[in-house]
Amino acid sequence: MKRIIMLLLGCCGACMVWPCLLTIQYFQPVFPGYLSFSLTQGIMLGLVFGAIFGSFEGIVVSSRTKAIKGLLFGAVAGVLSGAIGVFAGQAFLFGVADSLQRTEQSLTGIPLILANSMGWVIIGLCISLIEGFRSRSLRKLLVGLAGGIVGGSLGGMLLQLSVIRYPGNQTALLVGLVVFGFFLSFFYSFFENRFSYGSIKLLNGPLRGKEYHLLKSRIRIGTRDTCDIVLPGYRNVTPLHASIQIKKGRVVLRPAGKSCPVTVNDSPTQEVPLRREDVFAIGSAKFMYGIFS
């Protein structure tokens, strides 16, 4: 379900940015040059997709505050990503064109698609890294790096192919953007599962069935919006109730204090390494640790 939601958000981002790009293209004669025109398009794409990716974690943990903060952070980071992608893509394109000119070859066909798509690839890579920077998680940075390289490359090339093959076709641009958002979201979620230390799944209550990947060295659990896992609507849960820490490759659960009781397999505990299929309770919330996706 989490992966499906992320794919839908990626496609939704494409549908949102599509009319914006069409508007920018309509006013292309107003721009002083092609670089400023491309820069505006890149910034708009980065802004929308950055906001989508930034808000995703808050949506997953059902925290409106976290989603809004992530959206704002992602929007700002997305603007920077778009600008970086355009400048890097233009530099790469000119470098390839200059190299081919020296060998008296023309920039056509597949080389043209690859050269022009480099900007989209870099934008996709930067967008995928947003959540890693926001959460200050090395593992999430690795997830973003892998997902951005693979998803950004495939999505960027297919987007550029649709633009080159059907120039001026609005539907082709929409299809290319949807493919770009789909691949970026799919491979991010794919590598998120591969790089995690496992997952914990909620077994009861209003958030029943939600799954949380363990991608940080310390994951805080409680009712406070700043926690990594927020538990609204559960009884006997304190603002910061417990944490899950990664110690020497082991997943260790520990309560935040003596007034924050935690049980593992119905036994009270202070600090314990989790094993697959262990069930632990934080207040009235019950979790299972394992690998589910």
Side-chain angles (χ1 to χ4, degrees):
M1 182 61 67
K2 178 180 178 181
R3 187 169 294 174
I4 291 172
I5 292 173
M6 192 165 191
L7 292 176
L8 289 175
L9 286 173
C11 295
C12 179
C15 295
M16 290 170 61
V17 79
W18 177 57
C20 300
L21 294 184
L22 291 180
T23 303
I24 294 170
Q25 291 175 4
Y26 179 80
F27 288 102
Q28 182 178 359
V30 178
F31 290 90
Y34 185 75
L35 179 59
S36 60
F37 169 68
S38 300
L39 185 62
T40 305
Q41 289 192 101
I43 288 175
M44 182 57 65
L45 184 85
L47 172 67
V48 175
F49 276 104
I52 292 290
F53 268 74
S55 64
F56 177 69
E57 195 66 26
I59 294 173
V60 168
V61 301
S62 300
S63 172
R64 182 179 299 177
T65 301
K66 188 182 289 290
I68 293 174
K69 288 182 178 179
L71 184 146
L72 295 175
F73 180 91
V76 174
V79 169
L80 296 175
S81 300
I84 292 171
V86 168
F87 281 119
Q90 290 293 312
F92 181 83
L93 178 62
F94 291 143
V96 170
D98 183 62
S99 176
L100 291 175
Q101 186 177 12
R102 292 178 182 178
T103 57
E104 297 183 352
Q105 298 181 42
S106 59
L107 186 61
T108 58
I110 294 178
L112 176 64
I113 294 173
L114 291 174
N116 278 293
S117 64
M118 187 54 60
W120 301 115
V121 172
I122 295 172
I123 292 174
L125 174 59
C126 292
I127 289 172
S128 296
L129 293 172
I130 286 174
E131 178 56 27
F133 284 115
R134 189 198 66 78
S135 61
R136 300 176 185 177
S137 168
L138 178 59
R139 288 229 159 205
K140 286 192 176 184
L141 284 173
L142 292 175
V143 169
L145 184 65
I149 289 175
V150 180
S153 298
L154 291 174
M157 284 189 290
L158 291 173
L159 171 58
Q160 192 60 39
L161 177 63
S162 66
V163 171
I164 291 178
R165 190 173 181 84
Y166 303 101
N169 190 307
Q170 299 179 359
T171 304
L173 175 62
L174 175 60
V175 172
L177 289 170
V178 170
V179 170
F180 178 78
F182 179 88
F183 275 107
L184 205 59
S185 302
F186 175 82
F187 282 104
Y188 184 91
S189 61
F190 175 83
F191 285 108
E192 185 180 49
N193 190 48
R194 297 302 183 274
F195 278 94
S196 72
Y197 288 100
S199 308
I200 59 173
K201 181 180 287 188
L202 258 169
L203 303 178
N204 66 333
L207 301 180
R208 179 182 178 182
K210 278 192 176 290
E211 183 181 336
Y212 305 90
H213 290 288
L214 306 181
L215 286 162
K216 296 176 66 176
S217 58
R218 182 171 182 262
I219 297 154
R220 299 164 298 172
I221 306 173
T223 59
R224 189 183 300 160
D225 285 326
T226 54
C227 289
D228 301 291
I229 298 176
V230 185
L231 298 175
Y234 288 88
R235 302 185 312 275
N236 303 322
V237 181
T238 62
L240 177 58
H241 197 107
S243 65
I244 295 176
Q245 298 182 6
I246 310 301
K247 293 183 176 181
K248 298 180 179 179
R250 298 189 306 170
V251 178
V252 178
L253 173 68
R254 60 180 301 180
K258 293 182 179 180
S259 60
C260 306
V262 172
T263 62
V264 177
N265 300 324
D266 296 324
S267 299
T269 184
Q270 286 301 312
E271 182 174 326
V272 62
L274 294 176
R275 297 172 297 179
R276 288 189 185 183
E277 299 186 0
D278 276 348
V279 176
F280 62 94
I282 295 174
S284 64
K286 290 187 177 182
F287 294 85
M288 177 182 284
Y289 168 68
I291 299 176
F292 305 106
S293 296

